[in-house]
Amino acid sequence: MFGCASAAIFMQFEARGVSFSVNFCSHCGSAELCWTVPPGDNRPRHVCSACKTVFYANPKIVAGCIPQWNDTVLLCKRAIEPRHGYWTLPAGFMEKAETTIEAAVRETLEEANARVEVVDLYTVFNIPHTSQVYMMFRAKLTDLDFSPGAESLECGLYREDQIPWGELAFPTILHTLKFYFEDRKRGDFPLRSGDIVGDRNRAIFALRRRAVIP
Amino acid sequence: MFGCASAAIFMQFEARGVSFSVNFCSHCGSAELCWTVPPGDNRPRHVCSACKTVFYANPKIVAGCIPQWNDTVLLCKRAIEPRHGYWTLPAGFMEKAETTIEAAVRETLEEANARVEVVDLYTVFNIPHTSQVYMMFRAKLTDLDFSPGAESLECGLYREDQIPWGELAFPTILHTLKFYFEDRKRGDFPLRSGDIVGDRNRAIFALRRRAVIP
């Protein structure tokens, strides 16, 4: 038997930027949810006191593309929160039963109605404070027949000197584009990986943050 | 308003190999769960008919290491299901608030009480039928003071010709080790990525499976 820190724990879950409180066990319907270390585990989880179901929460993958056309890349202006009105590369949450490339291609189609041929994986950025891992792929636009999807206000092709550097939606997008244009000058695109550390307003890029091992 | 395909939908969720049915909304406690396309979305989700909360499910990252010592790698014999008694590289589900490297290092410590220095990301394998993405890192053991953790029966160092090739736990581990020993002969370790397609008994490695875009 494991103890319960509090009879009524209101857990905040976030999905697609919308957070909601978790008040009931989704298996048996009990309101007796605990935040406790389950038997045989080494860290606290949400556990139902009534039926003992353990609820695991894990990081999510955000997959996207750097859709290239000559010396430009395709950017989208966000029509949704978070960061409505700011610019991004097409990217979004990977869905079940997909591969990372399929997710990146699908997001590019959904957000910009654009078709791409993926070249290779280019960036892997961890964002531990939001429990996300960004995986961005270099890709070539197969044609110029693109247009804003439901989640975009507009989209267009931007050279390095035309990128709205001060109006990018997320630090991951900023650092992906910075690496991309740097590497393009050299004609070599090694895998770029790193950690985005800090909160949304003061995010710092680090090749590897100081490891936090419990 | 969105329709409900069935008044009583029993959803199977799997966490840590344990599956349980989801019968109640974890937000409001209602049993009126639907499998339906939420407004503004393009694919079916689990949605509560009473409070309209949408429940998203996404792939999970499995992070691990290829812990190297001279011409050997550290393998663990699994003490847990699935694949109890079969051999694996230390790897497991990434936790929230971690980076992928931290997850890989933690799993190596938990499963083999082994300390490593991570070299770089080496494999990214998608397993769409289990909605997992494996990310395995090359790493160097810092000492030989390792021992089986709670989830391992034993662990030890294996040269290529000593690897129990027929008793490996997962196709991802098999293909990671095959690539690793191939690449070590050439002294060059490019990022290896691909898809594991099929079920657990007949898994095929493909550089990229035929894209399944709806």
Side-chain angles (χ1 to χ4, degrees):
Chain A
M1 289 296 88
F2 33 81
C4 187
S6 158
I9 290 187
F10 293 90
M11 298 171 280
Q12 290 297 320
F13 267 58
E14 190 177 295
R16 305 291 162 123
V18 179
S19 73
F20 58 91
S21 59
V22 173
N23 310 315
F24 298 91
C25 171
S26 57
H27 182 57
C28 78
S30 164
E32 301 277 315
L33 289 173
C34 291
W35 177 251
T36 186
V37 180
D41 206 336
N42 58 11
R43 65 183 62 210
R45 315 275 180 191
H46 298 123
V47 181
C48 175
S49 301
C51 73
K52 313 301 181 217
T53 298
V54 181
F55 297 93
Y56 297 95
N58 300 90
K60 290 184 195 295
I61 292 173
V62 178
C65 284
I66 309 148
Q68 175 245 333
W69 183 268
N70 296 331
D71 59 348
T72 66
V73 296
L74 180 68
L75 297 183
C76 302
K77 194 173 193 173
R78 289 173 64 84
I80 53 168
E81 293 295 348
R83 305 292 277 165
H84 182 282
Y86 287 81
W87 290 87
T88 187
L89 290 161
F93 288 110
M94 184 179 175
E95 301 281 1
K96 292 189 86 167
E98 283 185 324
T99 69
T100 42
I101 287 179
E102 288 165 11
V105 167
R106 176 185 50 74
E107 288 290 342
T108 307
L109 189 63
E110 286 179 5
E111 297 188 0
N113 292 303
R115 284 145 300 281
V116 290
E117 259 177 42
V118 168
V119 179
D120 60 9
L121 179 60
Y122 179 55
T123 59
V124 177
F125 291 158
N126 301 283
I127 319 178
H129 63 279
T130 61
S131 292
Q132 294 176 340
V133 178
Y134 266 68
M135 300 178 72
M136 300 294 292
F137 292 83
R138 287 197 302 135
K140 290 179 194 299
L141 279 171
T142 56
D143 58 71
L144 293 182
D145 184 22
F146 59 78
S147 59
E151 299 184 356
S152 304
L153 297 169
E154 52 179 300
C155 47
L157 296 172
Y158 292 82
R159 289 195 318 264
E160 181 178 7
D161 62 350
Q162 297 170 324
I163 300 273
W165 291 104
E167 297 164 49
L168 295 175
F170 306 109
T172 45
I173 303 303
L174 168 67
H175 291 285
T176 294
L177 288 170
K178 280 172 75 171
F179 277 124
Y180 177 79
F181 284 109
E182 255 175 59
D183 287 344
R184 213 175 56 171
K185 291 183 184 82
R186 297 184 301 119
D188 181 34
F189 296 91
L191 181 77
R192 297 292 188 174
S193 60
D195 304 334
I196 305 284
V197 188
D199 63 23
R200 199 160 280 167
N201 298 319
R202 300 170 303 128
I204 295 160
F205 177 84
L207 277 180
R208 208 179 289 185
R209 73 165 179 172
R210 283 169 191 278
V212 184
I213 307 288
Chain B
M1 289 293 91
F2 34 82
C4 188
S6 159
I9 290 188
F10 294 90
M11 297 173 281
Q12 291 297 322
F13 267 59
E14 189 177 296
R16 305 289 161 128
V18 179
S19 74
F20 59 91
S21 59
V22 173
N23 310 315
F24 298 91
C25 172
S26 58
H27 182 58
C28 77
S30 164
E32 302 277 316
L33 290 173
C34 292
W35 177 252
T36 185
V37 180
D41 205 335
N42 59 11
R43 64 182 62 207
R45 314 275 180 190
H46 297 126
V47 181
C48 175
S49 299
C51 74
K52 310 303 178 215
T53 298
V54 181
F55 297 94
Y56 297 96
N58 300 90
K60 291 184 194 295
I61 292 174
V62 178
C65 283
I66 307 148
Q68 176 246 333
W69 183 269
N70 296 331
D71 60 347
T72 66
V73 297
L74 180 68
L75 297 183
C76 302
K77 195 173 192 173
R78 287 173 65 83
I80 53 168
E81 294 295 350
R83 304 293 278 165
H84 182 283
Y86 286 82
W87 291 87
T88 186
L89 291 161
F93 287 111
M94 183 180 175
E95 300 281 1
K96 292 189 86 167
E98 284 185 324
T99 69
T100 42
I101 288 179
E102 289 164 12
V105 168
R106 175 184 51 73
E107 289 290 341
T108 307
L109 190 63
E110 287 179 5
E111 298 187 0
N113 292 303
R115 285 146 299 282
V116 288
E117 260 176 42
V118 168
V119 180
D120 59 9
L121 179 61
Y122 178 54
T123 60
V124 177
F125 291 158
N126 302 283
I127 318 178
H129 63 279
T130 60
S131 293
Q132 295 176 340
V133 178
Y134 266 69
M135 299 177 72
M136 300 295 292
F137 292 83
R138 287 198 302 133
K140 290 179 194 300
L141 279 172
T142 57
D143 58 72
L144 293 183
D145 183 22
F146 58 78
S147 60
E151 299 184 356
S152 304
L153 296 170
E154 51 178 302
C155 46
L157 296 173
Y158 292 82
R159 287 196 318 266
E160 181 178 6
D161 62 349
Q162 297 170 324
I163 300 273
W165 291 103
E167 297 164 50
L168 295 175
F170 306 110
T172 46
I173 302 302
L174 168 67
H175 291 286
T176 295
L177 287 169
K178 279 172 77 172
F179 277 125
Y180 177 79
F181 285 109
E182 258 175 57
D183 288 345
R184 214 177 53 169
K185 291 182 184 83
R186 297 183 301 117
D188 181 33
F189 295 91
L191 181 78
R192 297 291 187 175
S193 60
D195 304 334
I196 306 284
V197 188
D199 64 22
R200 198 160 282 166
N201 298 318
R202 299 170 303 130
I204 295 159
F205 177 84
L207 277 179
R208 207 180 290 183
R209 71 165 180 175
R210 283 169 190 278
V212 184
I213 306 290

